[in-house]
Amino acid sequence: MEKVVVGLSGGVDSSAVAAILHDRGYEVIGLTLWLMKGKGQCCSEGMVDAAHICEQLGVPHHVVDIRDVFQSNIVDYLVTGYSAGVTPLPCSQCNKTVKFGPMLEYAREKLDSQKIATGHYARINYNEASGRYELLRAFDRNKDQTYFLYDLSQDLLSGSIFPLGEVEKSETRRIAAEFNLQTADKPESQDLCLVESNGSMRAFLDKYLAPKKGDIVDADGKVLGEHDGVHHYTIGQRKGLGIAAPQPLYVIGLDAGANKVIVGDRTTATNPECNVSRVNWVSCAEPSSPIRAEVQVRYRSQPVPVTVIPLENSRVRIVFDEAQFSITPGQAAVWYDGEKVLGGGIIERF
């Protein structure tokens, strides 16, 4: 029996993965990461449910305390980003540095296993011609999570299994019910773990960043209103500006140094191109010349045609066929060739 370590969050997806692999004859070991500090955090309920699933399946369950890693790589990362006027994307950072990396290391060093499995909706293919592991979209496009997985290295992909990549979400719940898992009807998480834990992103940030009043201005510097902290705003935001204007206004810039929120109409909130840094080429080697692809600049955005131009120092320039609304520094841009993830990175300031 091949030994596999299943990352268990206590949700229905990871629970179903443990049951599926156990049923297929794998030697399953459950592993739950303790991520957040503080009594009553959301991890607490998840750890209990994960333990129950392992008990039901008759498999070992390990809990690894990586709260310090989560604090430095995610909490501090978010606070630093928002205070600097960008909108960080924590999930891809968390997957690589907090979840997959530590889990695979623990599996190899402590549990004598070369494989980990998670409940992510994505697929992995090994291309013998290129000698690379390829990250592919899930069959269930409504649940596809490759946007958050673009930063996984070849080593992490080689050691990972995604059993739900070819399964519809409704089928996952049916499988969980078939195995009589107590998580079969558990409500799905609707937001970032930190948001769910704190009630809102604003409430989370207010624990770390003090209010700091400043001006809301237009592109010419005219003062239109007042804000209580640039960290409460993001590019493309329309609601909550508190400004009366003859046409809708959107946040088009955040100047943390001058403590200003810059607003404009929709035309000023579109961009024909953007630069992307910290690029990870996933399913192919870095090209030496521009390539055509489709890019997503948000998790739920539709992929749009672009030209990706390689630059030095793990950077690219993305040129959109048509200018795009609300390109947000700090978020990920992930480009695809059909169902294959070619690469991705973090959108830079304009």
Side-chain angles (χ1 to χ4, degrees):
M1 294 190 300
E2 184 178 359
K3 188 182 295 185
V4 61
V5 175
V6 178
L8 288 171
S9 65
V12 62
D13 293 330
S14 59
S15 300
V17 165
I20 289 169
L21 294 178
H22 184 260
D23 186 61
R24 290 177 182 174
Y26 283 86
E27 181 182 346
V28 171
I29 301 173
L31 174 62
T32 302
L33 302 177
W34 187 3
L35 302 178
M36 284 189 276
K37 298 183 177 181
K39 183 179 180 181
Q41 295 286 9
C42 67
C43 292
S44 302
E45 179 186 342
M47 282 192 283
V48 172
D49 287 341
H52 283 161
I53 294 299
C54 289
E55 183 177 18
Q56 180 179 350
L57 296 175
V59 303
H61 182 226
H62 294 250
V63 175
V64 180
D65 184 353
I66 59 168
R67 289 175 293 171
D68 289 337
V69 176
F70 186 80
Q71 177 72 32
S72 61
N73 283 273
I74 304 304
V75 175
D76 294 348
Y77 172 71
L78 280 173
V79 173
T80 300
Y82 273 99
S83 64
V86 301
T87 307
L89 180 72
C91 295
S92 55
Q93 170 96 348
C94 188
N95 281 330
K96 180 178 181 180
T97 65
V98 178
K99 294 180 179 177
F100 283 80
M103 278 199 300
L104 189 55
E105 180 181 4
Y106 190 87
R108 288 170 172 171
E109 296 185 358
K110 304 293 185 181
L111 301 176
D112 191 30
S113 171
Q114 298 302 310
K115 293 289 185 179
I116 61 172
T118 72
H120 286 89
Y121 287 81
R123 293 178 293 142
I124 299 171
N125 174 64
Y126 181 70
N127 187 321
E128 293 187 359
S130 66
R132 295 181 71 92
Y133 287 87
E134 299 173 334
L135 180 63
L136 308 179
R137 287 191 185 277
F139 279 5
D140 189 341
R141 287 292 292 269
N142 290 323
K143 288 295 296 179
D144 175 60
Q145 292 173 300
T146 52
Y147 177 80
F148 298 120
L149 299 171
Y150 78 86
D151 209 20
L152 296 185
S153 66
Q154 285 288 299
D155 181 54
L156 293 177
L157 287 175
S158 72
S160 299
I161 304 174
F162 297 143
L164 302 185
E166 300 181 5
V167 176
E168 300 285 333
K169 177 68 178 191
S170 58
E171 180 70 3
T172 300
R173 288 200 179 276
R174 188 197 65 75
I175 292 170
E178 188 177 273
F179 285 107
N180 295 315
L181 303 181
Q182 68 174 48
T183 55
D185 296 320
K186 186 174 181 178
E188 191 169 0
S189 175
Q190 296 298 316
D191 219 325
L192 296 173
C193 59
L194 288 170
V195 172
E196 289 199 340
S197 177
N198 290 273
S200 68
M201 180 58 75
R202 185 186 184 99
F204 161 71
L205 292 172
D206 284 346
K207 292 169 58 176
Y208 297 91
L209 299 172
K212 186 178 180 182
K213 293 186 180 298
D215 292 331
I216 300 177
V217 302
D218 64 16
D220 296 323
K222 180 182 177 181
V223 177
L224 303 178
E226 185 180 68
H227 67 80
D228 60 353
V230 295
H231 58 280
H232 290 148
Y233 298 82
T234 186
I235 301 296
Q237 179 178 335
R238 176 183 172 186
K239 296 181 179 180
L241 300 181
I243 300 172
Q247 58 186 341
L249 294 177
Y250 302 84
V251 175
I252 62 172
L254 298 169
D255 188 338
N259 195 30
K260 292 181 179 180
V261 174
I262 306 164
V263 298
D265 61 23
R266 189 176 179 87
T267 60
T268 61
T270 62
N271 295 92
E273 62 182 49
C274 67
N275 285 351
V276 178
S277 60
R278 292 170 49 190
V279 168
N280 180 49
W281 290 94
V282 188
S283 304
C284 65
E286 180 178 359
S288 57
S289 58
I291 62 170
R292 293 289 292 170
E294 291 185 320
V295 72
Q296 279 183 234
V297 292
R298 285 176 296 280
Y299 174 44
R300 290 300 183 185
S301 69
Q302 289 298 312
V304 296
V306 295
T307 299
V308 182
I309 304 172
L311 304 174
E312 295 181 346
N313 301 318
S314 299
R315 296 170 67 244
V316 302
R317 177 177 296 114
I318 292 178
V319 181
F320 303 98
D321 285 12
E322 296 183 6
Q324 296 296 303
F325 173 72
S326 184
I327 304 301
T328 307
Q331 294 289 288
V334 181
W335 46 97
Y336 297 77
D337 177 10
E339 63 181 6
K340 184 189 304 181
V341 180
L342 298 180
I346 301 299
I347 298 170
E348 295 181 344
R349 287 180 177 274
F350 302 116

